[in-house]
Amino acid sequence: MTTPDNPHRNGRPGIVELDADLQRTVRRTSYMRQLFYFVVLLVALAGQVSGAVEALGIPLLWAVPAVGALELGGIVVLANADVRRRLGERATASRVLSAAIAGFAVAFNWLAHENKLLAGFFAGMSALGYLVWLMHTENQRRDRLRATGDLPPTTPAYEVVGHWIRHPWITLRAKNLAKADDRLGLYTSLAAARAEKRKEVRTKAIAKVLHRKIRAAVDPTTADIAVAVYDLDEIAVRLADGADYDGLTALIAADLAPARLASDARVISVVDEPAQRPALAEVAAEEPAEEQLTLPEAPEAAEAPEPAAPEPREPVASPLGEWRGEIAEILPPPTPRRPRGQSKVTATADIAEEPTLTPTRAIREGSLRSQVHAALHEHVPDNDPRDTMALTSFVGDLLELNDVERLTASNYVRTWKREVDAGRRASVNGRHLQDVVPTKR
């Protein structure tokens, strides 16, 4: 219950003062409207009387009641039409007759005076009086319909730019919701419209998945019936209750781990040119899954010829081909490397003078995968604690690989390490390396 000491009602402050001010404004407007219509009616009657006396020659005594009946006839018929409409009728005939009488009065004021400026003034005042009365009756009718619930309540005033231009469909939906529930204000109706939109999208997705799951087991008609029968909102609620937020959060956090981001950044930094990335992916895809390792005997270090620089080639646009041809097309010529079969530490006099960690240079033969696997089998002992990145760095230093070759070799190191961890190293050695790889010392 509202009291003068508590100017709050329904959570809205100052509603009592606003209602009192509205009542005072309604009374003041009613007085002003009556006064305005009385003045307008006098001016229109003056024009009607003067026109009737000048144009028709009617005596003044008879002209006043005659034109008064003409001028007030449209208002009387309009008031009768308003009463019938409040009773639920359309009152079409009365409304048409009222408009015809008002139109005739305006036309008579215009035609009855020779001075068209004066005629326009009188005709305009006659039309203005009728229109003011028409708007007043329509306002009263809408108030009555709104009070009886036959007309929706007034909606909030949404912003033109912030709401109608930026989000027209959401604003229109919010306006319809505010019509259905007068308790919704400006921002609550917008929030309800957004929630209803999200609910529609969610329900549509659930219905699509449910229909596909049921259709896989039964016929499509049964799937349609199931989608129509099941309460999709209840399914959405149960899905929300059983959602594994911890698991989903851990799944996203795994991709955002600093170690993984650092590894991805290193891989991206290896290939700077965007045009090289599709070629590298094709190189990795074209490597055979199972490849026989054939390592010829390594020539003596003293007799190994220096590798000649490859002749420049023109880029080939074909997406297929051997990996050596594509790498040579997009990268500068590789630097000379130590022979594949030669051990990192040798007994020759020339090698003894070099640092222990620097391998000798020669020509490598065979595919990169074969060379990586051979180097790992030869130089990595059993139960080696190093991870994939450390082994890739070791093989790259041993075979003097460039950055692009290191990127490809990391995949071969990972597959080799997976085979070793699964206990298949003995079978791989027996199948590929029993004739070509020397026994480790």
Side-chain angles (χ1 to χ4, degrees):
M1 183 175 180
T2 307
T3 60
D5 297 334
N6 183 18
H8 298 274
R9 185 175 62 186
N10 297 329
R12 298 170 62 185
I15 194 67
V16 176
E17 289 78 359
L18 292 177
D19 290 344
D21 182 71
L22 178 60
Q23 293 177 1
R24 290 192 297 269
T25 303
V26 169
R27 288 194 299 268
R28 185 168 57 252
T29 303
S30 177
Y31 297 149
M32 294 175 61
R33 182 177 59 253
Q34 294 175 7
L35 178 62
F36 170 80
Y37 189 76
F38 180 74
V39 173
V40 169
L41 180 61
L42 289 180
V43 175
L45 284 176
Q48 296 280 1
V49 170
S50 61
V53 172
E54 295 177 5
L56 301 179
I58 301 177
L60 181 62
L61 182 62
W62 297 103
V64 173
V67 298
L70 177 63
E71 189 68 30
L72 293 177
I75 301 300
V76 173
V77 178
L78 183 61
N80 180 59
D82 180 62
V83 172
R84 304 312 304 176
R85 292 179 71 186
R86 292 189 181 188
L87 295 176
E89 300 179 6
R90 292 185 178 274
T92 304
S94 298
R95 293 161 64 187
V96 172
L97 179 60
S98 173
I101 295 174
F104 180 78
V106 173
F108 182 80
N109 261 334
W110 173 262
L111 297 175
H113 298 84
E114 295 181 357
N115 187 351
K116 294 304 176 183
L117 182 61
L118 183 62
F121 173 74
F122 287 133
M125 295 300 289
S126 180
L128 180 61
Y130 179 79
L131 293 177
V132 169
W133 186 271
L134 177 62
M135 289 188 296
H136 174 61
T137 55
E138 288 296 324
N139 291 337
Q140 289 181 331
R141 176 177 174 272
R142 285 196 302 272
D143 293 340
R144 179 179 177 82
L145 292 176
R146 189 172 289 113
T148 57
D150 297 329
L151 192 68
T154 56
T155 58
Y158 300 98
E159 299 178 6
V160 177
V161 177
H163 297 149
W164 287 110
I165 295 180
R166 294 187 60 187
H167 310 286
W169 300 114
I170 293 294
T171 306
L172 181 61
R173 187 189 294 265
K175 183 178 180 180
N176 294 331
L177 291 176
K179 287 182 179 179
D181 189 357
D182 57 352
R183 294 173 299 177
L184 296 178
L186 174 62
Y187 297 103
T188 53
S189 62
L190 291 172
R194 294 188 181 96
E196 189 178 71
K197 179 63 177 178
R198 289 193 299 268
K199 180 181 177 182
E200 288 183 359
V201 174
R202 180 184 61 194
T203 304
K204 183 178 179 181
I206 293 176
K208 184 177 180 181
V209 174
L210 183 62
H211 189 276
R212 184 175 68 248
K213 294 290 185 181
I214 298 178
R215 188 176 57 185
V218 295
D219 56 284
T221 304
T222 305
D224 295 338
I225 296 175
V227 171
V229 169
Y230 282 116
D231 188 357
L232 302 181
D233 293 335
E234 181 65 22
I235 296 177
V237 171
R238 296 190 180 186
L239 286 175
D241 294 339
D244 186 6
Y245 290 99
D246 295 335
L248 293 176
T249 304
L251 182 64
I252 298 175
D255 292 335
L256 298 178
R260 183 181 182 89
L261 294 177
S263 177
D264 294 342
R266 179 180 177 184
V267 172
I268 294 174
S269 63
V270 170
V271 183
D272 294 333
E273 293 296 331
Q276 296 179 6
R277 297 173 186 171
L280 294 176
E282 294 169 3
V283 169
E286 288 178 4
E287 281 295 329
E290 292 292 334
E291 180 180 358
Q292 296 295 334
L293 180 62
T294 57
L295 296 177
E297 295 183 359
E300 294 296 331
E303 297 178 0
E306 290 294 331
E311 298 180 359
R313 302 178 183 178
E314 296 181 356
V316 181
S318 174
L320 302 176
E322 295 297 328
W323 74 273
R324 286 184 177 276
E326 291 188 0
I327 293 298
E329 292 166 5
I330 61 177
L331 297 176
T335 57
R337 302 174 182 87
R338 185 181 54 79
R340 182 199 69 254
Q342 185 175 349
S343 176
K344 185 174 180 180
V345 180
T346 60
T348 58
D350 296 336
I351 301 302
E353 297 176 357
E354 297 181 356
T356 305
L357 298 178
T358 303
T360 59
R361 292 191 175 186
I363 299 177
R364 294 190 286 108
E365 296 181 1
S367 65
L368 181 60
R369 180 176 179 271
S370 302
Q371 298 170 35
V372 171
H373 281 203
L376 291 173
H377 285 306
E378 182 178 357
H379 297 285
V380 177
D382 296 337
N383 300 325
D384 191 271
R386 288 176 289 184
D387 57 0
T388 302
M389 295 183 62
L391 291 176
T392 302
S393 178
F394 169 74
V395 172
D397 296 338
L398 185 65
L399 300 180
E400 295 184 351
L401 303 179
N402 54 29
D403 292 337
V404 177
E405 291 175 334
R406 287 173 185 262
L407 178 63
T408 307
S410 62
N411 296 325
Y412 305 144
V413 173
R414 188 178 296 106
T415 57
W416 179 88
K417 187 172 178 59
R418 189 182 303 116
E419 292 177 358
V420 172
D421 294 339
R424 295 193 296 270
R425 180 176 181 180
S427 61
V428 173
N429 289 340
R431 186 171 62 253
H432 297 307
L433 304 177
Q434 59 184 356
D435 297 329
V436 295
V437 177
T439 304
K440 293 190 293 182
R441 298 177 182 179

